[in-house]
Amino acid sequence: MSGSKKEAYRPKIHTGSLLDDVHVQSKTLDDIGVEILPLHTGGTVHAKRIGGSFRTFKWLVASFWLLLFVGPYIRWDGSQAILWDLGNRQFHIFALTVLPQDIWMLAMILLFFALLLAASTAIAGRVWCGYFCFHTVWVDVFTWLEEKIEGKPGKRIKLDAEPMSFTKFKVKLPKHIIWLLIAFMTGFSFVAYFTDAFQLWARLLHFQLAYYETIIILVLAGLTYLTAGFMREQVCMGFCPYSRIQGAMTDTETVMPTYDRDRGEPRGRQRRAKPGEEVPVLGDCIDCRMCVDVCPTGVDIRLGQQFGCITCGLCIDACDEIMEKVNKPKGLIRYAAINEFAGKILPPIWRRPRVIVYSSIMIFAAAALIWGMANMAPINVTVLKERAPLYVQMSDGSIQNKYDVKVVNKTNEFMQVEVEVFGHDDLIFMADRVAEVSPGSVATIRLFVRIPRNKLDEKSTPIDVVVKDLNNKDNSDRYRSVFHGPK
Amino acid sequence: MAQHNPWPDEGNTGHIWDEDLRELDNPPPLWWMLAFYAGLIMIVFYAVYYPTVPLVDSHTKGVAGWTQIEEYKEDFEVLNKWRERTFSSQEEKLASLDVADIMKDDELRAYAVATSKVLYGDYCMACHGAGGSGNPNFPVLADDDWLWGGSVKQIEASLEKGRVGNMPAKGMMGNLNDQEIEQVADYVIGLATGESENEAYAAGKAIYNGKGLCMACHGPLGKPVAPNGATNLTGSVERFMGVPGNLQADRRASIIHTITYGVNVKKDGAYLPETRRAEMPSFKERLPDADVNIKRLAVYVHELGGGQ
């Protein structure tokens, strides 16, 4: 073992990690802090549900997801407003129709949201996980229903412990039926974005769903039922990669729900001192464990920021409520950055390098997207040059090249397209037809170009193929290709 | 690895690195073991069901009699059935319509071209090259110079009947001497370069139109009056290049060779070893489904770039 490595094993080296404050001279698993990897292994987490400002905020944000169920039924110009028509390779978003040629814009959308995720994490931790993630929202709704049907956590824990009986079955059944219903609607609504929603209902009611539709709906419904109903916080901890990489996405300036250790410790119940007895000096934390009881992932926030914490803020609601009752200032658990506790002043958001880098990439993606949408050409032309043979000697002494001109019509009108070729004074061209291109489809026009051999100076001459729509002169596109000849 | 084991009761294997990193000996989970046993059962099933064990000169056949090539053939059959179903209307039109009418239908023409590529590769490309680019002494199909006519009907006829070139050696009557042959060759070059009226070629021109009777097939101006298999001498496209054994020989030597030994000239029932060979077989018997495929290929060849 090298000397420097030995150094690291010396106690009291400040590395900035949570383990700094843990006794590390003994090296049993318990002592090196395994218990603070808060995998909840004690069965289902039955969290208490209490009111509060974060609770209200969560419901407000979560209600966005109602749009998922409504979306497929919105109409625009007589057809489905949002339709990912894979069969016809067209994506309809209200008035916008995106063809595969413009799919790069999808990459921009993904880039924008990936960076939005990074930026929001850098500023305020896992706001996505805590408030917006569909898994969090679905679990929240599922457990809310559970409480409505089966009662408060204590009652549920008791019920779970009971052996299966007819009474237990009777209590549990409605919950599972409603869960399955929501799960089914989730899968169904997802599929409805890929085909006409009303026709999908009609096919469903006549038992005429295509096999792949049935499979996708059932798989999604099954996964929703399984993950939101049973896996719950295990999905966040065991499956989701985001919880594992967040350590790299936050820093000491990121505000996250944090327990104010200096104010709270030593924790304990405040007792009235008997005469003559010395009153122990305690911190503000009365060790009521409300913060743990309300946590949907079952972690103890007082151990510090940890990967099990989805920063949903429910422990803040709980602690504030208790602090109010014991007449102490709120905010024992609050959104705060590590630097705040170290007494440093947080710089303004726009002066933080991460935020600057993330937001400039976001601005780039957004600008590219806006540019792309504003400049989406109504017509797209690609010219494929025949390579076997590269050129042909014709009997009149000219050289002929052959091309396939592919014309994509991105509008909703029929196009009659004509080909013209420029690039050489003595060039003549023959296109085999004026092609009619129906909306959203591709036509191929065969094109021959001839240049007299004695007029050719170069092995290859650049030429421009211009395609015009005869019905609408504004629709035209140009493609730079090349004319080959013998030297 | 440490010799001393500070955790004797933990169930570790005694393998300890870096002071505290140790290997435990926990049993695999039940589900894992079940999957493992299921895998073992699967192996037995697989070995019995499929061809598995190699023998000295063969292998066990498996109870199902499954072979890869059979599965491939079955899948291919499925694909063919799908093609038949999907393109039945186009195929019916190809079979019933005249090849000239196929040309008039943009969609059908495109379909014929798209479905000909494999056929062309299998039956035509060996001689005529990829995309009709030709090979030395095998005609280019992508140009506009046709020995037997470049309309789609004429191309169809060439495919159906085959074509055999025919040019007597040393002029129509076989009576040209070496000097006369050279004079005709010079005149033929003049025809191609557009200088045939030059005084220098007068002798050759006289032989071309007189003693040699070349104009009978090649036409009085070097261009056959109607397609008859004779080369158009006025164009830039050369029918034969080089001489046997030397493809790089110049144009004059090539023309002299052609005139001296002719095309497909036989002596005592056998071809002269030096004669030019030009023969395309009939594809009526060679092609599968010749009725449809000859039309298909005629359209394809016509569309290569020189169809008239």
Side-chain angles (χ1 to χ4, degrees), chain A residues 387-400:
Chain A
R387 289 162 186 279
L390 264 187
Y391 58 86
V392 178
Q393 168 77 59
M394 303 308 272
S395 61
D396 64 358
S398 63
I399 301 296
Q400 176 169 288

Side-chain angles (χ1 to χ4, degrees), chain B residues 198-244:
Chain B
N198 194 316
E199 277 297 304
Y201 303 129
K205 187 181 178 181
I207 297 161
Y208 179 89
N209 288 308
K211 189 179 175 188
L213 282 173
C214 310
M215 58 45 151
C217 296
H218 291 284
L221 299 168
K223 195 173 180 179
V225 180
N228 57 4
T231 306
N232 168 15
L233 301 174
T234 63
S236 302
V237 179
E238 295 174 49
R239 174 64 184 90
F240 296 109
M241 42 194 312
V243 297

Side-chain angles (χ1 to χ4, degrees), chain B residues 4 8 18 22 44 52 62 72 81 96 108 159 164 216 218 229 249 274 286:
Chain B
H4 170 67
D18 289 355
R22 42 206 199 277
V44 175
T52 306
Y72 166 74
K81 289 228 172 78
S96 60
L108 197 56
L159 275 159
V164 181
H218 291 284
E274 298 92 346
R286 291 170 177 247

Side-chain angles (χ1 to χ4, degrees), chain A residues 1 5-6 9 27-29 32 386 388-398 400 402 404 432-435 446 448 450 453, chain B residues 7 10 18-20 22 24 106-107 109-110 113 130-133 140 142-145 232 234-237 300 303-306:
Chain A
M1 196 187 282
K5 210 172 172 188
K6 266 213 169 78
Y9 276 90
K27 293 202 175 116
T28 64
L29 289 177
I32 60 171
E386 176 69 53
L390 264 187
Y391 58 86
V392 178
Q393 168 77 59
M394 303 308 272
S395 61
D396 64 358
S398 63
Q400 176 169 288
K402 183 177 157 195
D404 276 335
D432 70 344
R433 60 192 174 128
V434 172
R446 187 156 305 205
F448 295 108
R450 285 186 195 172
R453 184 170 184 167
Chain B
W7 303 275
E10 189 185 41
D18 289 355
E19 323 236 333
D20 64 340
R22 42 206 199 277
L24 301 185
D106 279 346
E107 302 275 323
R109 192 181 64 209
V113 169
S133 53
V140 174
D143 64 17
D144 61 345
D145 197 79
N232 168 15
T234 63
S236 302
V237 179
Y300 181 80
E303 292 297 283
L304 282 173

